[in-house]
Amino acid sequence: MIRTVLALLTAVPLIVTPASAADPPADRCAGLTGTRIPQVSVTSAKRDTNAEGQEFCLVQGVIRPQTRFTVKLPSSGWTGQYVQQGCSGLCGTVPDLTMPLFGFQCAAARDGRLVLASDDTGHTGDPQTSEPATWGADPRARLEFGLLSEHRLRRVADAVMVAYYGHGPTYRYFDGCSTGGRQGLMLAQRFPSDFDGILAGAPVHNLAPLALLNAWVVLRNTDASGRQILGPEKIPALHEAVVRQCGSVIEDPRRCGFQPSSLRCPRGTDRPDCLTPAQVSAVVAFYRGPNGLYPGGMPYGSELGWIDEFVVRSGAPVDGNTARIALNYLRYLAYPQNPPANFQLNDVRFTRATFERLNVLGDTIYNATDADLSAFRDQGGKLILYHGWADPSVPPFSTVDYYAAVQRHGGSEAFTRLYMVPAGYHCLFGPEPTEHPSEVGIPEFLQPLMDWVERDVAPGDIDVLTYAPDEEPDQQFVRFLTVAPFDALAPAHAAPGSLNAGYRYVGHY
């Protein structure tokens, strides 16, 4: 889907030998295989041309012990800007470098004049966790994934740019969503001088508690016999009921007063347009979340995104994507010593003790929850966060809570912005029945970030684009709404009885 959107929108100390500052000669690319960079093996460097005719030098290599990376260098016209792309899920592959996330209206991105780079965070595997994350048995792999890979790649990319162009970048940017959003916040918190600007979307910055939420929704949709309680056939009616109560574009789900009990089936019946008592209880549990162990549960408006995650089309919820993510994290990454191989989600206890135990390692290498960004601010850094209000993969309340903590530290308006996108799903894409988005929000964030860093033009309102489903595919993008910077300290004005508003998070920022 992202490729479709792009096509429519775009019709360690380093020892290197500096090259000239002008556009590099054609033969310099291949010579980069001989560049000396400590802890790095450059395995290939070749000139290539993309579909738009833009020429670039593609450099690939390994940061020891085993982090694979790619750096994409324009052969001419480089702006001096460097954009590092984050990964998704549990990573394990080098992300595509076609265009930076949410850089659709950035001319330098469209014209291929940015240096781009990404890596696999130090292990090979399926980002969506269909394969067991057995790589987590290696402590170094955990450290690379959780903490170090993006800091190390930034330094390596600097060396490659010096070798190719004769100088390093003028401005460095990090751009990531989901796990990439967590990486961005980790860089701002622990490596504050690495980047001038950071774009962090739907950040999984609270990774350890998120595993509890994932396990919670899976288990609350599973009966005593292991069967699914709420099936996908009930989702359309549930979503429509939420829309009738709260509006088709829910600007803040904390203000929605929908009650699942309003859809209760008449006694003794079970139809697609209503919920049985067991299903009402399950849906209530989804919206509330795990007993204050995560900031809220599923947001109102996210219902379509539950399908294939913890509401599955066949089998049981333990077969869905959400269960795989939770189990892989809890079985292979969460604890200093892994639990027994037969550990299952049914073994999870939703207690404060479990929360604290998970955060021992979480706070050490995975969680990016330090709200004191003063070091990043003092380096002149700028941070834009964004999150979709309908995100079921990383519910948005954690980002709102985190940003409120950043605001409480003071001075946040000088270097941070948060944009909450109504009706936006995870990383603002999907869920969709076809390859064409319908409820997807497509804002532009990279250019405003660059303008803020380079010209001191602080971002204001952001226009969000979406498809008009009744138009022709090449005419479907229309102005949808304008999103203003979000004030996380403002009262939510929660609707009476709102399940999303009454949570109590036991974590800390």
Side-chain angles (χ1 to χ4, degrees):
M1 179 192 300
I2 293 178
R3 289 184 181 276
T4 302
V5 172
L6 289 175
L8 287 165
L9 281 171
T10 59
V12 149
L14 307 174
I15 304 171
V16 298
T17 303
S20 66
D23 286 345
D27 61 352
R28 181 164 296 156
C29 182
L32 293 179
T33 56
T35 302
R36 294 191 303 131
I37 308 174
Q39 303 293 313
V40 172
S41 298
V42 178
T43 57
S44 70
K46 58 184 181 182
R47 292 174 63 87
D48 203 350
T49 304
N50 63 19
E52 289 72 36
Q54 300 159 351
E55 295 184 356
F56 54 89
C57 176
L58 195 68
V59 179
Q60 297 176 311
V62 177
I63 307 172
R64 289 189 283 273
Q66 57 188 23
T67 300
R68 296 176 300 150
F69 71 90
T70 298
V71 182
K72 186 177 180 181
L73 306 121
S75 297
S76 63
W78 179 39
T79 61
Q81 297 158 314
Y82 167 66
V83 180
Q84 187 166 311
Q85 184 73 54
C87 64
S88 63
L90 293 182
C91 308
T93 62
V94 180
D96 177 70
L97 292 178
T98 301
M99 180 179 283
L101 287 173
F102 301 101
F104 309 119
Q105 298 175 40
C106 175
R110 292 198 313 268
D111 298 343
R113 293 182 288 119
L114 304 175
V115 172
L116 307 176
S118 59
D119 66 83
D120 67 359
T121 74
H123 65 273
T124 300
D126 175 22
Q128 305 310 315
T129 67
S130 61
E131 304 168 1
T134 53
W135 54 268
D138 179 359
R140 180 67 196 204
R142 291 184 177 190
L143 195 61
E144 288 293 320
F145 165 73
L147 181 61
L148 295 179
S149 64
E150 304 315 293
H151 170 65
R152 299 181 76 209
L153 174 60
R154 196 280 294 171
R155 297 171 68 86
V156 169
D158 268 15
V160 172
M161 285 181 274
V162 169
Y164 190 56
Y165 298 112
H167 61 91
T170 307
Y171 299 102
R172 302 181 184 90
Y173 299 94
F174 186 87
D175 183 0
C177 189
S178 193
T179 296
R182 179 187 66 83
Q183 291 170 327
L185 291 183
M186 186 71 78
L187 288 162
Q189 294 166 23
R190 304 207 194 186
F191 305 102
S193 62
D194 274 6
F195 290 89
D196 302 291
I198 292 174
L199 183 55
V204 194
H205 72 285
N206 219 358
L207 186 56
L210 182 62
L212 287 177
L213 174 65
N214 288 338
W216 172 269
V217 294
V218 169
L219 295 176
R220 291 305 174 270
N221 200 28
T222 306
D223 68 16
S225 300
R227 295 171 300 194
Q228 181 161 258
I229 298 172
L230 181 78
E233 73 281 358
K234 299 295 185 88
I235 294 297
L238 175 61
H239 183 65
E240 289 172 10
V242 173
V243 166
R244 284 195 303 270
Q245 175 78 29
C246 306
S248 59
V249 178
I250 301 176
E251 302 219 353
D252 188 338
R254 298 173 302 174
R255 302 177 185 178
C256 175
F258 175 74
Q259 294 296 318
S261 58
S262 65
L263 274 186
R264 190 186 302 273
C265 294
R267 184 184 298 273
T269 63
D270 184 1
R271 306 189 310 264
D273 63 347
C274 64
L275 302 177
T276 67
Q279 290 166 348
V280 169
S281 296
V283 173
V284 168
F286 301 159
Y287 289 135
R288 282 183 173 162
N291 302 323
L293 303 180
Y294 189 82
M298 295 297 118
Y300 294 117
S302 69
E303 298 79 21
L304 298 179
W306 300 357
I307 298 176
D308 294 327
E309 299 301 326
F310 55 91
V311 176
V312 298
R313 301 175 196 268
S314 63
V318 292
D319 302 315
N321 294 331
T322 299
R324 286 198 298 268
I325 291 172
L327 189 58
N328 267 287
Y329 181 78
L330 294 169
R331 184 182 280 175
Y332 300 113
L333 298 171
Y335 301 109
Q337 183 174 350
N338 287 340
N342 61 354
F343 175 89
Q344 299 295 332
L345 294 186
N346 284 326
D347 298 317
V348 176
R349 298 295 175 263
F350 298 99
T351 65
R352 180 62 182 265
T354 301
F355 176 90
E356 297 291 355
R357 187 179 173 211
L358 280 171
N359 278 323
V360 170
L361 202 58
D363 286 342
T364 303
I365 61 175
Y366 300 128
N367 296 340
T369 55
D370 186 354
D372 182 359
L373 302 180
S374 57
F376 180 67
R377 177 201 62 207
D378 294 347
Q379 292 285 339
K382 301 293 189 289
L383 168 68
I384 294 179
L385 288 128
Y386 62 89
H387 209 134
W389 268 126
D391 189 343
S393 300
V394 184
F397 309 112
S398 186
T399 296
V400 171
D401 275 11
Y402 173 74
Y403 193 69
V406 172
Q407 289 184 284
R408 284 193 292 268
H409 273 80
S412 60
E413 69 281 354
F415 72 104
T416 66
R417 292 290 188 276
L418 169 63
Y419 292 90
M420 301 300 298
V421 180
Y425 289 86
H426 188 53
C427 292
L428 309 185
F429 287 96
E432 304 301 332
T434 71
E435 66 177 356
H436 296 300
S438 59
E439 294 186 63
V440 57
I442 306 175
E444 169 62 32
F445 288 123
L446 183 59
Q447 189 61 57
L449 179 63
M450 290 178 168
D451 291 343
W452 199 8
V453 168
E454 299 173 27
R455 301 195 293 118
D456 199 28
V457 178
D461 295 352
I462 299 289
D463 288 327
V464 178
L465 306 176
T466 191
Y467 270 107
D470 296 329
E471 301 294 335
E472 293 298 320
D474 61 349
Q475 300 174 351
Q476 283 182 325
F477 281 102
V478 295
R479 292 293 173 186
F480 179 54
L481 54 88
T482 299
V483 182
F486 186 80
D487 182 1
L489 295 179
H493 302 296
S498 174
L499 300 178
N500 282 154
Y503 64 80
R504 182 183 62 85
Y505 183 44
V506 300
H508 56 276
Y509 287 124

